[in-house]
Amino acid sequence: MNKNDKKNNVTDTTTGAATFLTSTLGNTVGGVGRTLGGVTGAATRGVGNTVTSVTGDLGRPIGDGLGNIGTGVENSLNSVAKGVEDAGQWKKQ
């Protein structure tokens, strides 16, 4: 084995370890982000539905607004989570 082969082997090993570490971290953080987004979105939509149910047509705009905020928060957190996962896998846009 010559020096170049040894150097490439060390580089490949180091790159592989870094990729594994960042991928694992990215997937973990991304998964937590998706979970938080889902829980927050569902809870906020639930509150919106409750407001609409309790107040009827009078409160519908407020209930719908809360539901839409929940959906927006969920979609935003899912987008951030995807970005974190992609970064962890060293993907470029």
Side-chain angles (χ1 to χ4, degrees):
M1 183 180 287
N2 64 34
K3 285 185 180 183
N4 281 340
D5 289 341
K6 218 177 212 184
K7 183 178 177 182
N8 288 339
N9 191 26
V10 170
T11 302
D12 291 344
T13 301
T14 303
T15 301
T19 302
F20 173 76
L21 179 64
T22 58
S23 176
T24 301
L25 184 60
N27 288 338
T28 301
V29 172
V32 169
R34 286 181 199 281
T35 300
L36 289 175
V39 168
T40 302
T44 308
R45 282 190 299 273
V47 169
N49 289 340
T50 301
V51 167
T52 300
S53 295
V54 170
T55 60
D57 287 337
L58 182 64
R60 180 173 299 282
I62 295 170
D64 289 349
L66 286 171
N68 291 337
I69 289 170
T71 300
V73 169
E74 181 176 10
N75 291 340
S76 297
L77 286 174
N78 284 340
S79 178
V80 169
K82 172 123 176 63
V84 169
E85 289 170 351
D86 287 349
Q89 295 171 9
W90 298 25
K91 289 184 181 177
K92 295 181 181 178
Q93 288 184 336

